[in-house]
Amino acid sequence: MRTIVCGISAALFIATAALMAYAQTAETAFGVWEHPDNKSHVQIYKCGSGLCAKIVRVVDGQKTDDKNPNPELKKRPIVGLVIMNGAQKTGATQWKGNLYNRADGATYTGTLTVKSKNALDLQGCTAVVFCKTVTWTRVN
């Protein structure tokens, strides 16, 4: 009987460890991700106690932040542009902060949610009812 109990305990321990290895956390977001529409790459990284994101690759030809409503910022390069700065962890797999959209030069309330090791949802909202969610895939 003791051998059976030990065997069951060992099996449960192994199963739990395996599940924990596949469990996603908010920190799973760190890395480089590809936007599905414009194929740009964004590096998500830890900054202070929060999360930041910057554009590291653009393939659609936009070289400067020409959509920005601030004339002084229209000439800054897109590559290297920080689009999320200091987002805070709000759940086991979620971050919230302001999100800059280079396509229209607007800043939105942003929510980043880790869906899996290789997928995350990035949602931008102008108001609770005006939101758009896009699923990004991991590059590395």
Side-chain angles (χ1 to χ4, degrees), residues 85-104:
N85 189 357
Q88 295 300 304
K89 188 174 176 180
T90 57
T93 61
Q94 195 169 75
W95 300 86
K96 287 191 179 183
N98 290 326
L99 178 65
Y100 179 73
N101 182 359
R102 70 180 176 99
D104 63 10

Side-chain angles (χ1 to χ4, degrees), residues 1-11:
M1 179 73 157
R2 184 175 176 173
T3 304
I4 293 172
V5 171
C6 288
I8 292 172
S9 294

Side-chain angles (χ1 to χ4, degrees), residues 38-54:
N38 62 28
K39 305 301 181 203
S40 62
H41 290 183
V42 172
Q43 179 183 10
I44 298 174
Y45 56 97
K46 185 168 182 59
C47 58
S49 65
L51 171 145
C52 291
K54 68 179 175 182

Side-chain angles (χ1 to χ4, degrees), residues 9-99:
S9 294
L12 285 173
F13 175 78
I14 291 169
T16 301
L19 285 174
M20 289 175 68
Y22 290 103
Q24 305 310 311
T25 67
E27 287 71 23
T28 304
F30 300 141
V32 178
W33 299 83
E34 183 176 273
H35 188 293
D37 298 334
N38 62 28
K39 305 301 181 203
S40 62
H41 290 183
V42 172
Q43 179 183 10
I44 298 174
Y45 56 97
K46 185 168 182 59
C47 58
S49 65
L51 171 145
C52 291
K54 68 179 175 182
I55 299 171
V56 295
R57 178 177 175 238
V58 176
V59 297
D60 64 5
Q62 185 180 8
K63 295 192 185 317
T64 62
D65 192 15
D66 59 345
K67 307 291 189 288
N68 196 303
N70 182 339
E72 294 176 15
L73 299 178
K74 287 182 179 278
K75 292 186 179 182
R76 67 181 174 173
I78 290 295
V79 173
L81 181 65
V82 175
I83 61 169
M84 190 172 242
N85 189 357
Q88 295 300 304
K89 188 174 176 180
T90 57
T93 61
Q94 195 169 75
W95 300 86
K96 287 191 179 183
N98 290 326
L99 178 65

